[in-house]
Amino acid sequence: MKTIDFQNLIRINQEQLNPGETQWFVQLGANDGVMCEGYGLRPILLEQAHIAILVEPLPKVFERCKENYKDANSKLYFENIAIVPTKTNEYEKIYHNDDHEAEPGVQSSFVRYEPSERFDLVKVEEFKYLVEKYNLTKIHGLFIDIEGLEYDVLDNIFNTINIPISFIRYEFLHVKDPEALDNMLMARGFKVFQCKHGKGDKVAISYEFMEVE
């Protein structure tokens, strides 16, 4: 699989904008905005002028995320929710993999970790909630790191909304079947690359909007 330099991707995406157009980014699993440098997004939002929706479900980590982005040059919207494949309840429990207070980097999941009983009760929404709330007509970059739900949430996105997404940067380490995720993205018109500076991340680029070799 070919690799791609993420910063180069952002530059190419910027060059393809129409006059007056601003890049819109959405990050699911924003953590504290610093952990792993925001998975490549943090320096872009701090130094450049874009628009981003940062979604982080854990309340205390969410507050740190807002604080860590207070000096960003980009216009930021913060959502203290979890994006789920199918919304069946207004709130769900997110469990942590230890008995300590949730910190950036502590793995969390809707599946209970044995023997831990630590959890946060968080508001949940499907991705279409963000699309409708912010009147999104195009997403230039979608970042997704949600502890194994990447396939299910992306499948929900493709089946419930109809707006273009230029690229998707996703973590695959906790996905049950990473190959199935890659195949789904390719079937949806994306070319998949290994992220050059993130061994656990891949980038799927839409053939319709990007020309990256």
Side-chain angles (χ1 to χ4, degrees):
M1 179 178 291
K2 289 185 177 181
T3 61
I4 189 168
D5 185 285
F6 182 69
Q7 296 298 327
N8 189 46
L9 171 61
I10 297 297
R11 178 187 59 78
I12 294 172
N13 209 10
Q14 183 72 27
E15 291 173 352
Q16 295 194 5
L17 296 178
N18 296 319
E21 186 180 6
T22 302
Q23 291 198 72
W24 272 84
F25 299 119
V26 179
Q27 186 176 28
L28 308 183
N31 209 289
D32 70 341
V34 175
M35 186 75 178
C36 298
E37 292 191 299
Y39 301 98
L41 185 58
R42 177 176 174 79
I44 297 164
L45 298 182
L46 290 177
E47 299 166 10
Q48 303 173 22
H50 305 293
I51 304 174
I53 303 168
L54 304 179
V55 179
E56 171 51 48
L58 301 180
K60 292 181 180 179
V61 180
F62 172 77
E63 292 301 325
R64 286 193 287 270
C65 183
K66 290 196 296 182
E67 177 66 20
N68 288 332
Y69 272 119
K70 65 182 180 181
D71 297 322
N73 283 323
S74 295
K75 184 174 184 179
L76 305 179
Y77 299 96
F78 297 91
E79 291 283 347
N80 187 203
I81 60 174
I83 297 298
V84 294
T86 304
K87 180 180 177 179
T88 56
N89 298 299
E90 195 73 16
Y91 292 86
E92 297 281 0
K93 292 179 180 179
I94 291 188
Y95 294 93
H96 312 304
N97 64 345
D98 60 26
D99 283 321
H100 299 89
E101 179 181 342
E103 295 288 343
V106 169
Q107 189 177 353
S108 301
S109 170
F110 288 108
V111 178
R112 182 173 177 266
Y113 291 94
E114 297 290 351
S116 174
E117 296 183 357
R118 294 283 301 184
F119 67 85
D120 281 304
L121 191 63
V122 302
K123 183 175 173 59
V124 298
E125 296 286 354
E126 293 182 29
F127 192 81
K128 62 184 178 181
Y129 162 83
L130 298 176
V131 174
E132 294 168 358
K133 179 176 179 177
Y134 294 97
N135 194 29
L136 298 176
T137 57
K138 180 177 180 178
I139 297 172
H140 298 88
L142 172 62
F143 299 73
I144 179 168
D145 179 2
I146 50 176
E147 305 303 334
L149 281 179
E150 286 81 1
Y151 182 99
D152 302 282
V153 168
L154 285 170
D155 186 52
N156 170 269
I157 289 172
F158 291 136
N159 287 308
T160 59
I161 68 169
N162 186 30
I163 63 172
I165 302 174
S166 296
F167 73 82
I168 302 169
R169 178 166 176 168
Y170 59 99
E171 192 202 53
F172 60 89
L173 294 179
H174 303 292
V175 176
K176 185 176 181 180
D177 189 344
E179 185 177 355
L181 175 54
D182 294 347
N183 290 337
M184 176 179 69
L185 288 163
M186 289 186 284
R188 292 286 184 171
F190 290 84
K191 185 173 182 177
V192 176
F193 297 82
Q194 175 65 49
C195 198
K196 185 176 181 180
H197 300 295
K199 294 182 179 180
D201 289 3
K202 292 181 181 178
V203 180
I205 303 172
S206 171
Y207 280 110
E208 187 174 354
F209 298 102
M210 306 296 293
E211 295 180 3
V212 179
E213 295 297 335

